[in-house]
Amino acid sequence: MASAVQSVTSATELDAAVAAGAKAVAFFWASWSAPCKHMAQVLETLAQQHAGITYLKVEAEEVDDVTERFGVTSVPHFVLLQNGKVTDTLEGADAAALTAKVAALAAARRPAAAAAAPAPAAAPTAAAPVQQQEPADVTARIKSLLSSSPVVVFMKGNAAAPYCGFSRKVVDALRSVGVSSFKDVDIFQDEELRQALKEYSNWPTYPQLYVAGELVGGCDIVKEMLQSGELQQLLREKAPAALQPAAQPPQQQHQQQQQRQAAAAPAAPAGALTEQQREQL
């Protein structure tokens, strides 16, 4: 049986597909993600159950402009649209939530051409002042994490198992320039930290790379700096301790070994003749 989910490989294809149908579901996926494989099967089943919806799948790391347009930072990710406008989103492999959202989209009616006039709004009442809690504790934790290592990555997942391709690319970039160790912080393990860090850094998405306590940026900026050589230069200047020592030429290694052996050799007793002096006697 042919798939009911249409593959999209460009922004033009996506726009054409969305324009053709009043309702659409866009599924952002990656080949390396096991949860995506499961959710792909769920979406196929939903496509059979709910006609009248255009079902699309977008390989997130291959169609960057579409991924960035919808603010997708991890996979699986679903965007639900009606009449070309986003009505709902879902991040993660939650089959029950996706089923409910697709059912709601299928049941939704097109907005009427002329809506009834809204009822007069009630007079506003004076609201009691809201006391905001000082984010001292979480800010202190952020500063503590940033000071724990010269290189820190706040990411989805960890360095050994990134949860999204963007986080994986940042990890790969650091390793490719010789970063031997860095602090990886899984933001999914601390929701308070995840939200507070967006305000602390004034950066809305993840991953976030910090060097010497200062924000470098996200995946796109790291990739650009890697290609231009700026990332290597920044790390040499601001975080040399995080880099692996450069390999030395064999001749230099041999000279250093001789110097170490000479330094370790016991000193001759005072007044003792050298071998050259004995040969001259």
Side-chain angles (χ1 to χ4, degrees):
M1 180 183 297
S3 173
V5 182
Q6 173 186 343
S7 293
V8 170
T9 59
S10 69
T12 302
E13 289 185 7
L14 177 74
D15 293 338
V18 171
K23 302 175 182 179
V25 176
F27 167 39
F28 291 84
W29 65 285
S31 58
W32 49 264
S33 171
C36 284
K37 296 177 181 178
H38 169 65
M39 295 305 291
Q41 296 176 350
V42 174
L43 189 63
E44 288 283 357
T45 301
L46 292 173
Q48 301 298 328
Q49 296 175 351
H50 300 286
I53 297 177
T54 301
Y55 296 88
L56 310 168
K57 58 181 179 181
V58 184
E59 192 166 3
E61 296 176 13
E62 298 298 326
V63 194
D64 291 341
D65 51 348
V66 175
T67 301
E68 292 175 2
R69 184 202 298 184
F70 290 101
V72 178
T73 59
S74 67
V75 291
H77 190 105
F78 297 87
V79 177
L80 290 78
L81 305 102
Q82 184 170 8
N83 299 322
K85 297 182 179 180
V86 177
T87 60
D88 206 349
T89 61
L90 175 65
E91 182 178 302
D94 190 336
L98 179 63
T99 299
K101 289 176 181 293
V102 171
L105 178 63
R109 296 180 179 179
R110 292 187 180 184
T125 57
V130 178
Q131 295 182 350
Q132 296 183 348
Q133 296 181 350
E134 292 293 332
D137 292 342
V138 67
T139 301
R141 285 197 289 123
I142 292 173
K143 292 181 177 179
S144 176
L145 288 168
L146 292 176
S147 64
S148 67
S149 174
V151 179
V152 180
V153 182
F154 294 91
M155 58 186 293
K156 296 184 177 183
N158 54 54
Y163 188 71
C164 76
F166 303 103
S167 294
R168 178 169 56 83
K169 287 181 179 179
V170 170
V171 171
D172 290 345
L174 291 174
R175 288 173 174 165
S176 71
V177 297
V179 175
S180 57
S181 64
F182 60 90
K183 177 71 174 178
D184 55 338
V185 182
D186 183 358
I187 57 167
F188 283 142
Q189 301 301 317
D190 192 330
E191 182 63 23
E192 182 184 24
L193 176 68
R194 176 184 181 183
Q195 299 302 329
L197 186 61
K198 294 179 181 180
E199 297 183 7
Y200 180 88
S201 63
N202 195 27
W203 196 268
T205 60
Y206 293 99
Q208 294 182 17
L209 171 64
Y210 287 78
V211 174
E214 298 180 0
L215 175 66
V216 175
C219 181
D220 290 340
I221 291 179
V222 171
K223 287 195 300 181
E224 292 175 2
M225 293 181 66
L226 175 64
Q227 294 170 358
S228 67
E230 293 178 82
L231 182 61
Q232 297 90 318
Q233 181 179 353
L234 175 66
L235 290 166
R236 285 194 297 265
E237 294 177 355
K238 297 290 187 70
L243 296 172
Q244 296 175 348
Q248 298 175 337
Q251 182 178 1
Q252 185 175 351
Q253 293 178 0
H254 180 64
Q255 291 175 351
Q256 290 182 351
Q257 183 178 5
Q258 288 182 327
Q259 292 173 356
R260 288 193 296 269
Q261 291 175 350
L273 297 176
T274 65
E275 182 177 354
Q276 183 179 4
Q277 289 172 335
R278 288 197 299 269
E279 289 178 353
Q280 293 174 351
L281 293 177

